């Protein structure tokens, strides 16, 4: 227990040092909010992992099982959430493409940029509707370029950056080919969404095999522990625990590798950091 308490205190101290370091650099309100949400999620995940580790340790008397239970508790939700994150990215890309086409059609009808944003905010796709509505509200009381950059920061998507860049140029220089540019951006976004669908189809079999392997491995270990304890007796020794810790570490590392591979790949954003630059 002393080691577990020390580890928890170490995590708390490290978190405090990171927060202090963040206070010395200039960060925006939205970034501070993300930090708070991230730390709340991290604290919740750490508490669940500690509880799972204690239960696994107490049930088997093996430190390795406690560590593996804690690791799996942290990694499993992330592994299960990779598909949802990819689907969210897919929906956001398609929504931005549809919004670009809405802006194009509205601007082609001889509407101003502020008017076009206000009109499309009411019928924007659900994935970005709240963001567009906030943009419309800001555009009424702030400079349009500033409101657009804030929108790009909140959405944090390369397609949104392209749309915002086109709108900012149009608002500053009265670009006459805005409709054509928005059409090209929408077409590029839809091609990107189609590519993601093809990649996701190719990955589906790999993900299914990985899930089946994880379930079979854990199920086999549980069955052996419950119904054939003599088979697991060699792991009661110190050497057996070391071997089991190595196996658990390799297994947890493999699961974490699946999480990293399953994350949606995002191209670099052209407007990354514009909020910090505008605040200086």
């Amino acid at each position: 227990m002393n080691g577990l308490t020390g580890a928890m205190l170490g995590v708390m101290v490290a978190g405090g040092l990171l927060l202090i370091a963040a206070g010395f650099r200039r960060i925006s309100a939205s970034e501070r909010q993300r930090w708070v949400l991230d730390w709340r999620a991290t604290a919740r995940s750490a508490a669940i992992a500690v509880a799972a580790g204690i239960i696994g340790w107490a049930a088997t008397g093996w430190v390795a099982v406690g560590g593996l239970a804690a690791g799996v508790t942290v990694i499993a939700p992330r592994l299960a959430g990779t598909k949802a994150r990819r689907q969210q990215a897919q929906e956001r890309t398609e929504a931005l493409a549809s919004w670009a086409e809405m802006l194009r059609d509205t601007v082609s009808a001889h509407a101003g940029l502020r008017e076009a944003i206000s009109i499309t905010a009411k019928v924007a796709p659900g994935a970005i509707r709240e963001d567009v509505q906030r943009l419309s509200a800001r555009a009424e009381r702030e400079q349009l370029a500033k409101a657009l950059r804030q929108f790009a920061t909140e959405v944090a998507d390369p397609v949104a950056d392209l749309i915002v860049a086109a709108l900012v140029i149009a608002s500053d220089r009265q670009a006459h080919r805005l409709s054509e540019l928005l059409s090209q951006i929408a077409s590029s976004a839809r091609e990107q969404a189609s590519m993601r669908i093809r990649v996701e189809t190719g990955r589906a079999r790999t993900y299914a095999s990985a899930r089946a392997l994880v379930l079979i491995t854990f199920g086999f270990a549980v069955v052996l522990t419950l119904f054939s304890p003599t088979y697991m007796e060699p792991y009661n020794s110190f050497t057996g625990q070391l071997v089991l810790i190595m196996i658990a570490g390799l297994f947890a590392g493999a699961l974490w590798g699946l999480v990293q591979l399953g994350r949606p790949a995002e191209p670099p954003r052209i407007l990354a950091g514009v909020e910090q630059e505008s605040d200086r």
Side-chain angles (χ1 to χ4, degrees):
M1 277 306 172
N2 291 333
L4 183 61
T5 304
M8 294 177 62
L9 290 175
V11 171
M12 295 173 63
V13 170
L17 291 176
L18 286 174
L19 290 176
I20 293 173
F24 284 99
R25 69 184 185 95
R26 189 167 184 171
I27 58 177
S28 62
S30 60
E31 187 176 352
R32 285 195 297 269
Q33 185 177 7
R34 287 195 295 270
W35 270 67
V36 172
L37 294 177
D38 289 344
W39 276 107
R40 287 178 179 174
T42 302
R44 189 185 309 113
S45 178
I48 295 175
V50 170
I54 293 174
I55 292 173
W57 187 3
T60 62
W62 292 347
V63 178
V65 173
L68 180 60
V72 171
T73 303
V74 172
I75 298 173
R78 289 171 172 79
L79 183 61
T82 52
K83 183 176 180 180
R85 288 193 294 271
R86 293 193 303 272
Q87 182 66 27
Q88 184 180 8
Q90 174 80 8
E91 293 175 354
R92 186 175 63 242
T93 299
E94 294 178 351
L96 287 167
S98 298
W99 185 54
E101 292 171 344
M102 292 178 185
L103 288 172
R104 176 201 61 194
D105 297 339
T106 308
V107 171
S108 299
H110 305 288
L113 284 181
R114 280 189 172 85
E115 184 181 359
I117 292 172
S118 177
I119 292 173
T120 57
K122 303 174 183 178
V123 293
I128 60 170
R129 183 172 299 168
E130 293 183 0
D131 298 308
V132 178
Q133 289 175 349
R134 285 195 296 268
L135 168 62
S136 177
R138 290 193 191 100
E140 295 178 357
R141 61 179 185 272
E142 298 177 0
Q143 293 182 354
L144 182 58
K146 182 179 179 182
L148 287 168
R149 291 189 178 95
Q150 180 67 24
F151 170 79
T153 301
E154 292 177 352
V155 178
D157 187 277
V159 178
D161 288 353
L162 292 175
I163 296 174
V164 167
L167 296 179
V168 169
I169 294 173
S171 65
D172 292 341
R173 302 182 182 180
Q174 298 297 325
H176 299 289
R177 303 181 63 182
L178 177 60
S179 297
E180 180 180 350
L181 182 56
L182 289 173
S183 295
Q184 294 176 355
I185 293 173
S187 177
S188 176
R190 294 198 183 281
E191 290 178 0
Q192 181 180 345
S194 299
M195 180 186 65
R196 282 179 174 173
I197 292 176
R198 292 194 296 270
V199 172
E200 186 66 22
T201 302
R203 288 178 173 179
R205 183 175 299 177
T206 303
Y207 295 143
S209 300
R211 286 195 297 268
L213 181 61
V214 171
L215 292 175
I216 291 172
T217 302
F218 271 101
F220 187 67
V222 171
V223 169
L224 286 177
T225 302
L226 294 178
F227 299 101
S228 184
T230 55
Y231 183 84
M232 306 294 287
E233 281 183 0
Y235 293 108
N236 287 325
S237 64
F238 178 77
T239 304
Q241 284 294 289
L242 290 179
V243 172
L244 193 59
I245 288 173
M246 293 175 59
I247 295 173
L250 291 173
F251 192 81
L255 289 179
W256 184 251
L258 287 175
V259 172
Q260 296 298 318
L261 291 174
R263 288 181 176 178
E266 293 288 354
R269 294 181 53 211
I270 62 174
L271 296 180
V274 293
E275 185 182 46
Q276 286 78 5
E277 293 178 2
S278 62
D279 289 340
R280 293 177 182 174

